[in-house]
Amino acid sequence: MNSDAAFTYNGGKVAPGERQNLRYGISETYLGDPVRIPVTIVNGERDGPTVFLSAAAHGDELNGIEVVREVAFEWNLADLAGTIVCLPVLNVQGFLTQQRYLPIYDRDLNRSFPGDPTSTSAKRMAHAIFENFIAPCDLGIDFHTSTRGRTNMLHVRADTSKDDVSRLAYAFGASVVVDGAGSDGTLRGEATRAGVPTVTVEMGEAHRFERRLIDDALDGVESVFAEYGLQPGPVRWPGWRTVVTEKTWIRADAGGIVDMHHDRGSLVREGERICTITDPFKAQGVPVEAPFTGVLIGLLENPVVYPGNPICHLAELDAERARIVDRRQADR
């Protein structure tokens, strides 16, 4: 988008050099009251791309909310070259009830894009968001956390087979990029298919702010802004990077209480014990071992499991990157 033009949406516009905070109606409640999402649009005076930053498509995922708010209200955007569209809370009803899905038949907003104005309530909401604030953009970052009871190291999910998406993923500067197009209906997948390169940033756990991860994500946004010329600054290099194509959720083969031996982001070698599952009497436990050498991008936080419950998300590393990660962790 050229910043000589206003950013327009159904019902309004934001001229170059202007900022607008609005609550945009996307649906109605059972009482007929409007359901409105908060939106901040900052249109710079100088030419540049239009970027959306979105969070809380799942209502209990809070870390990204603070990232988007801080960009919108704490950064100096006076010399912004381009436009940013800040969408801190996409799933307002889920946010108000602090649950993952829309409290309307438990529908997943992040499986409802690009939406449909004549379909389900979730798809109608998704359509209003997508048409007004996603489709007009040139690129986007969608922030998520793990679900309740689990946690993720900060990493990017992106379809790296597409050059424009790969550029965006690398610009964010995370060490781990999980490759894949994403499930049907996800914001990043559908935006990318519509010509708006988009990545997902996964960071931490639900129901809380985690300051270290928020700051790391803000550094990533700064790096993206530098890469695309919205603001001056360096494009960061994380020290090591791997594009993950092989990953697996390791699941419990026994019920019990999990004694985790590693933190999120840790390197584990093939055959190394990740955790032990014990019973209430601390009897001899059931070891859970790494099937290959990799980094723990996701971990169980709630330490109780039934057989079949996921324990950790392991992403494979080659020998060279495993040595780098091992060396960096030893230096801490």
Side-chain angles (χ1 to χ4, degrees):
M1 175 178 171
N2 188 310
S3 286
D4 290 340
F7 180 93
T8 60
Y9 56 91
N10 186 17
K13 65 180 181 178
V14 184
E18 291 186 351
R19 166 194 290 266
Q20 189 173 126
N21 299 324
L22 62 141
R23 296 180 185 270
Y24 191 81
I26 61 169
S27 188
E28 294 179 352
T29 71
Y30 294 134
L31 297 175
D33 298 323
V35 174
R36 298 181 294 185
I37 63 168
V39 184
T40 296
I41 301 166
V42 182
N43 195 351
E45 292 184 345
R46 298 188 294 134
D47 292 347
T50 300
V51 181
F52 78 82
L53 305 174
S54 59
H58 297 132
D60 58 355
E61 299 182 356
L62 306 185
N63 277 327
I65 295 174
E66 190 61 10
V67 175
V68 177
R69 291 200 312 164
E70 290 194 21
V71 172
F73 298 107
E74 296 187 18
W75 282 16
N76 181 357
L77 301 172
D79 292 327
L80 182 70
T83 305
I84 57 173
V85 180
C86 295
L87 303 155
V89 182
L90 293 180
N91 183 351
V92 169
Q93 293 113 311
F95 176 73
L96 291 175
T97 56
Q98 275 303 280
Q99 64 187 60
R100 182 176 177 84
Y101 300 127
L102 288 161
I104 308 167
Y105 308 116
D106 274 343
R107 294 195 184 275
D108 188 346
L109 183 62
N110 201 39
R111 294 295 185 273
S112 303
F113 291 101
D116 183 335
T118 64
S119 185
T120 66
S121 55
K123 288 190 174 183
R124 292 179 187 222
M125 293 180 204
H127 173 80
I129 294 168
F130 199 90
E131 290 300 309
N132 287 283
F133 304 113
I134 305 301
C137 295
D138 298 305
L139 61 144
I141 306 173
D142 187 32
F143 292 95
H144 287 261
T145 77
S146 191
T147 191
R148 183 179 60 187
R150 300 184 216 155
T151 186
N152 285 331
M153 72 175 289
L154 188 145
H155 66 277
V156 171
R157 298 186 180 185
D159 184 356
T160 61
S161 68
K162 299 182 182 299
D163 290 343
D164 48 5
V165 179
S166 182
R167 177 189 176 192
L168 174 58
Y170 290 175
F172 192 84
S175 290
V176 175
V177 178
V178 175
D179 181 36
S183 302
D184 289 346
T186 59
L187 177 54
R188 77 168 172 98
E190 299 302 335
T192 297
R193 281 186 274 275
V196 183
T198 300
V199 300
T200 293
V201 174
E202 291 280 353
M203 48 186 293
E205 58 186 292
H207 293 296
R208 66 191 62 208
F209 283 164
E210 296 170 274
R211 190 68 245 176
R212 182 179 63 80
L213 291 175
I214 291 166
D215 288 341
D216 197 9
L218 287 165
D219 289 343
V221 176
E222 283 186 342
S223 181
V224 168
F225 281 15
E227 168 70 18
Y228 290 89
L230 284 92
Q231 288 189 310
V235 178
R236 73 171 177 171
W237 165 246
W240 64 276
R241 175 184 290 132
T242 187
V243 177
V244 174
T245 56
E246 293 296 328
K247 61 188 188 329
T248 186
W249 272 104
I250 297 173
R251 296 181 178 272
D253 288 329
I257 300 170
V258 177
D259 181 12
M260 191 68 66
H261 306 315
H262 297 274
D263 295 325
R264 68 186 176 198
S266 294
L267 174 74
V268 292
R269 299 281 181 180
E270 182 178 353
E272 184 176 355
R273 186 177 295 199
I274 297 172
C275 64
T276 305
I277 303 173
T278 62
D279 64 23
F281 304 106
K282 282 270 193 181
Q284 181 177 357
V286 177
V288 178
E289 297 177 348
F292 49 77
T293 296
V295 62
L296 293 168
I297 60 174
L299 279 184
L300 186 75
E301 284 283 289
N302 183 340
V304 294
V305 292
Y306 277 109
N309 285 166
I311 293 175
C312 62
H313 201 185
L314 182 64
E316 189 171 20
L317 293 182
D318 61 27
E320 178 184 356
R321 286 173 178 80
R323 284 194 296 270
I324 295 170
V325 176
D326 202 15
R327 195 161 55 240
R328 289 171 67 89
Q329 292 183 350
D331 289 341
R332 289 179 185 171

